């Protein structure tokens, strides 16, 4: 039982940490040395379905995948850290890309 609570706690803490990390990455990395990938996110009229900015979803998926692989043998804290990152990515995509930017056409 303690183990389950500990794993949930880790997942939630990593999720919260990712919110700070996303703020930091946006301010100092995406508007810093990776501006060339992020620039098109701030240009309003573009009709490509995919933006260069979407590469960031792949970049942020890498640590998550590594943690899943390393932690999947005994579902240790690394697995649940990876889960926290993945859930954050999903929530970010739904809130930021679909709700805020309306990337999906209306049904
Ligand atoms: Zn930006
Ligand atoms: Zn945006």
């Amino acid at each position: 039982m303690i183990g389950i609570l500990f794993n949930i706690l880790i997942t939630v803490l990593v999720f919260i940490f990712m919110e700070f990390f996303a703020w930091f990455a946006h301010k100092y990395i995406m508007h810093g040395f990776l501006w060339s990938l992020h620039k098109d996110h701030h240009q309003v009229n573009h009709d490509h379905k995919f933006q260069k900015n979407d590469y960031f979803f792949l970049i942020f998926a890498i640590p998550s995948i590594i943690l899943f692989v390393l932690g999947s043998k005994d579902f240790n804290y690394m697995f649940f850290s990876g889960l926290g990152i993945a859930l954050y990515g999903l929530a970010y995509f739904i809130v930021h890309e679909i709700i805020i930017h309306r990337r999906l056409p209306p049904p």
Side-chain angles (χ1 to χ4, degrees), residues 4-37:
I4 295 168
L5 291 176
F6 180 72
N7 290 335
I8 293 171
L9 185 68
I10 288 200
T11 308
V12 170
L13 285 178
V14 169
F15 189 95
I16 294 167
F17 168 79
M18 284 300 291
E19 180 61 29
F20 287 100
F21 183 77
W23 171 85
F24 173 86
H26 179 247
K27 195 168 164 108
Y28 294 104
I29 299 174
M30 294 157 89
H31 281 252
F33 73 101
L34 287 178
W35 171 242
S36 58
L37 282 182

Side-chain angles (χ1 to χ4, degrees), residues 41 92 96-97 100-101:
H41 188 73
Y92 186 89
H96 188 93
E97 303 294 335
I100 296 176
H101 289 294

